[in-house]
Amino acid sequence: MPAAPSPRRGAASPDARRPGADPWKVDLRELGRRAGSMRDWEKTVPASERWGIEMIGVPQGAPVELHLRLESVMEGVLVTGEVDAPVTGQCARCLEPVEDTLHLDVQELFAYEGSTTEATSEEDEVRRIDGERLDLAPLVRDAVVLALPLSPTCTPDCSGLCVDCGLRLDDLPADHTHEVLDPRWAGLADRFTPSKEN
């Protein structure tokens, strides 16, 4: 049986060959610092933690699809592309489970250490490159959280829950009502209710 051919040099990225490497971090050595150099980065990566707000978010470990282009510019690396992230949560009106997929456009400049952009920007105004590696997780997390609805709904016209019985109104007949009795008359109502005994 012939031996399997050895992989070509440079066929896999350093990230893929390094066991235990953070899948959200991109090694920039293959891109280089020459302005105009570009690299497409398409990958499905598990969410490193839950990204979201109280009622909806991307679950930890959910597969996040990245379709990105990394471009070397004078001040750093420009990241542009699309992100598809599955979200789960609860409807704010009827509390039914909600599942959807966010389709996001992202664009962000990651500045080189010592660049003019880094030197003239506040700490939280610009993302920075750590040595030869670029961490995409904070970029995607921030884009996801900002895109999430504060009050997610299972359908745009969800009617919510009945205030009297707590059942979902969309599952009940259109003429669903409850007899509301004024508590001041409750004693008299009991007195004048016809007895079921003959």
Side-chain angles (χ1 to χ4, degrees):
M1 183 174 186
S6 59
R8 290 183 296 113
R9 280 189 150 216
S13 70
D15 293 337
R17 291 192 300 265
R18 187 182 304 117
D22 185 342
W24 287 95
K25 292 190 177 178
V26 182
D27 192 324
L28 297 176
R29 287 176 291 188
E30 291 181 5
L31 179 66
R33 287 202 175 197
R34 186 170 56 84
S37 297
M38 282 192 280
R39 174 185 170 197
D40 288 328
W41 205 77
E42 300 212 6
K43 206 169 187 181
T44 300
V45 186
S48 52
E49 57 185 334
R50 183 185 183 275
W51 297 331
I53 52 180
E54 186 178 352
M55 297 203 75
I56 194 165
V58 176
Q60 182 175 2
V64 180
E65 294 182 21
L66 307 173
H67 310 279
L68 305 175
R69 169 166 288 178
L70 282 62
E71 182 180 359
S72 183
V73 295
M74 293 296 292
E75 295 295 307
V77 175
L78 181 66
V79 177
T80 309
E82 299 172 350
V83 174
D84 295 329
V87 293
T88 60
Q90 272 188 315
C91 175
R93 295 180 190 165
C94 70
L95 304 181
E96 285 291 301
V98 173
E99 290 187 9
D100 201 358
T101 301
L102 283 179
H103 304 284
L104 306 171
D105 293 323
V106 294
Q107 185 173 52
E108 190 79 29
L109 174 65
F110 288 76
Y112 290 129
E113 184 179 351
S115 67
T116 306
T117 300
E118 186 201 41
T120 58
S121 302
E122 295 294 328
E123 183 71 27
D124 57 351
E125 285 181 349
V126 65
R127 298 187 192 277
R128 291 167 168 77
I129 294 170
D130 181 17
E132 292 294 332
R133 295 172 73 75
L134 183 152
D135 189 358
L136 293 169
L139 166 65
V140 176
R141 178 198 62 218
D142 291 353
V144 164
V145 172
L146 288 173
L148 290 172
L150 292 176
S151 298
T153 54
C154 54
T155 60
D157 56 350
C158 175
S159 301
L161 301 175
C162 174
V163 295
D164 293 308
C165 65
L167 296 178
R168 190 169 181 262
L169 288 171
D170 290 340
D171 296 336
L172 298 172
D175 60 351
H176 174 75
T177 58
H178 293 273
E179 186 179 351
V180 179
L181 185 65
D182 190 321
R184 294 172 295 179
W185 300 104
L188 284 175
D190 290 341
R191 218 161 208 220
F192 290 103
T193 300
S195 174
K196 293 183 181 178
E197 298 177 2
N198 291 333

mmCIF file of all heavy atoms in Angstrom, residues 181-193:
data_model
loop_
_atom_site.group_PDB
_atom_site.id
_atom_site.type_symbol
_atom_site.label_atom_id
_atom_site.label_comp_id
_atom_site.label_asym_id
_atom_site.label_seq_id
_atom_site.Cartn_x
_atom_site.Cartn_y
_atom_site.Cartn_z
ATOM 1 N N LEU A 181 -65.621 40.013 37.031
ATOM 2 C CA LEU A 181 -66.620 40.370 38.036
ATOM 3 C C LEU A 181 -66.034 41.385 38.995
ATOM 4 O O LEU A 181 -64.943 41.210 39.527
ATOM 5 C CB LEU A 181 -67.039 39.109 38.799
ATOM 6 C CG LEU A 181 -68.149 39.256 39.811
ATOM 7 C CD1 LEU A 181 -69.458 39.645 39.104
ATOM 8 C CD2 LEU A 181 -68.333 37.954 40.574
ATOM 9 N N ASP A 182 -66.754 42.455 39.199
ATOM 10 C CA ASP A 182 -66.332 43.481 40.147
ATOM 11 C C ASP A 182 -66.283 42.850 41.534
ATOM 12 O O ASP A 182 -67.288 42.295 42.005
ATOM 13 C CB ASP A 182 -67.336 44.642 40.122
ATOM 14 C CG ASP A 182 -66.823 45.845 40.907
ATOM 15 O OD1 ASP A 182 -66.214 45.630 41.978
ATOM 16 O OD2 ASP A 182 -67.054 46.978 40.450
ATOM 17 N N PRO A 183 -65.152 42.902 42.222
ATOM 18 C CA PRO A 183 -65.052 42.247 43.536
ATOM 19 C C PRO A 183 -66.060 42.781 44.554
ATOM 20 O O PRO A 183 -66.417 42.099 45.500
ATOM 21 C CB PRO A 183 -63.605 42.523 43.963
ATOM 22 C CG PRO A 183 -63.115 43.618 43.091
ATOM 23 C CD PRO A 183 -63.895 43.544 41.814
ATOM 24 N N ARG A 184 -66.531 44.008 44.357
ATOM 25 C CA ARG A 184 -67.505 44.568 45.305
ATOM 26 C C ARG A 184 -68.845 43.822 45.243
ATOM 27 O O ARG A 184 -69.620 43.836 46.191
ATOM 28 C CB ARG A 184 -67.724 46.060 45.013
ATOM 29 C CG ARG A 184 -66.469 46.899 45.269
ATOM 30 C CD ARG A 184 -66.644 48.313 44.802
ATOM 31 N NE ARG A 184 -66.808 48.348 43.356
ATOM 32 C CZ ARG A 184 -67.011 49.468 42.666
ATOM 33 N NH1 ARG A 184 -67.073 50.629 43.273
ATOM 34 N NH2 ARG A 184 -67.147 49.418 41.356
ATOM 35 N N TRP A 185 -69.116 43.166 44.091
ATOM 36 C CA TRP A 185 -70.387 42.466 43.916
ATOM 37 C C TRP A 185 -70.230 40.956 44.028
ATOM 38 O O TRP A 185 -71.189 40.213 43.839
ATOM 39 C CB TRP A 185 -71.001 42.814 42.557
ATOM 40 C CG TRP A 185 -71.269 44.274 42.388
ATOM 41 C CD1 TRP A 185 -70.562 45.159 41.665
ATOM 42 C CD2 TRP A 185 -72.329 45.006 42.993
ATOM 43 N NE1 TRP A 185 -71.085 46.421 41.758
ATOM 44 C CE2 TRP A 185 -72.191 46.350 42.581
ATOM 45 C CE3 TRP A 185 -73.384 44.675 43.856
ATOM 46 C CZ2 TRP A 185 -73.055 47.365 42.988
ATOM 47 C CZ3 TRP A 185 -74.247 45.686 44.260
ATOM 48 C CH2 TRP A 185 -74.079 47.020 43.834
ATOM 49 N N ALA A 186 -69.022 40.492 44.341
ATOM 50 C CA ALA A 186 -68.773 39.051 44.359
ATOM 51 C C ALA A 186 -69.667 38.322 45.356
ATOM 52 O O ALA A 186 -70.191 37.249 45.073
ATOM 53 C CB ALA A 186 -67.299 38.783 44.680
ATOM 54 N N GLY A 187 -69.890 38.897 46.548
ATOM 55 C CA GLY A 187 -70.739 38.262 47.559
ATOM 56 C C GLY A 187 -72.163 38.090 47.083
ATOM 57 O O GLY A 187 -72.778 37.034 47.265
ATOM 58 N N LEU A 188 -72.712 39.137 46.438
ATOM 59 C CA LEU A 188 -74.083 39.046 45.935
ATOM 60 C C LEU A 188 -74.181 38.047 44.790
ATOM 61 O O LEU A 188 -75.176 37.326 44.668
ATOM 62 C CB LEU A 188 -74.556 40.417 45.456
ATOM 63 C CG LEU A 188 -74.925 41.411 46.566
ATOM 64 C CD1 LEU A 188 -75.252 42.762 45.960
ATOM 65 C CD2 LEU A 188 -76.110 40.897 47.370
ATOM 66 N N ALA A 189 -73.139 37.990 43.941
ATOM 67 C CA ALA A 189 -73.168 37.059 42.815
ATOM 68 C C ALA A 189 -73.245 35.629 43.306
ATOM 69 O O ALA A 189 -73.992 34.813 42.773
ATOM 70 C CB ALA A 189 -71.931 37.261 41.948
ATOM 71 N N ASP A 190 -72.499 35.312 44.372
ATOM 72 C CA ASP A 190 -72.548 33.960 44.932
ATOM 73 C C ASP A 190 -73.942 33.645 45.471
ATOM 74 O O ASP A 190 -74.434 32.532 45.362
ATOM 75 C CB ASP A 190 -71.503 33.798 46.046
ATOM 76 C CG ASP A 190 -70.086 33.783 45.498
ATOM 77 O OD1 ASP A 190 -69.930 33.543 44.288
ATOM 78 O OD2 ASP A 190 -69.140 34.023 46.272
ATOM 79 N N ARG A 191 -74.588 34.643 46.056
ATOM 80 C CA ARG A 191 -75.903 34.463 46.670
ATOM 81 C C ARG A 191 -77.003 34.191 45.631
ATOM 82 O O ARG A 191 -77.925 33.428 45.879
ATOM 83 C CB ARG A 191 -76.264 35.725 47.416
ATOM 84 C CG ARG A 191 -76.969 35.439 48.669
ATOM 85 C CD ARG A 191 -76.880 36.629 49.543
ATOM 86 N NE ARG A 191 -76.954 36.063 50.836
ATOM 87 C CZ ARG A 191 -77.603 36.550 51.830
ATOM 88 N NH1 ARG A 191 -78.157 37.699 51.706
ATOM 89 N NH2 ARG A 191 -77.674 35.946 52.952
ATOM 90 N N PHE A 192 -76.869 34.852 44.480
ATOM 91 C CA PHE A 192 -77.927 34.753 43.492
ATOM 92 C C PHE A 192 -77.605 33.789 42.336
ATOM 93 O O PHE A 192 -78.347 33.681 41.407
ATOM 94 C CB PHE A 192 -78.243 36.143 42.908
ATOM 95 C CG PHE A 192 -78.915 37.024 43.926
ATOM 96 C CD1 PHE A 192 -78.214 38.017 44.587
ATOM 97 C CD2 PHE A 192 -80.253 36.829 44.242
ATOM 98 C CE1 PHE A 192 -78.836 38.817 45.524
ATOM 99 C CE2 PHE A 192 -80.889 37.634 45.184
ATOM 100 C CZ PHE A 192 -80.172 38.630 45.832
ATOM 101 N N THR A 193 -76.459 33.104 42.444
ATOM 102 C CA THR A 193 -76.145 32.105 41.429
ATOM 103 C C THR A 193 -77.072 30.919 41.613
ATOM 104 O O THR A 193 -77.191 30.383 42.709
ATOM 105 C CB THR A 193 -74.674 31.637 41.577
ATOM 106 O OG1 THR A 193 -73.829 32.743 41.429
ATOM 107 C CG2 THR A 193 -74.346 30.584 40.525
#
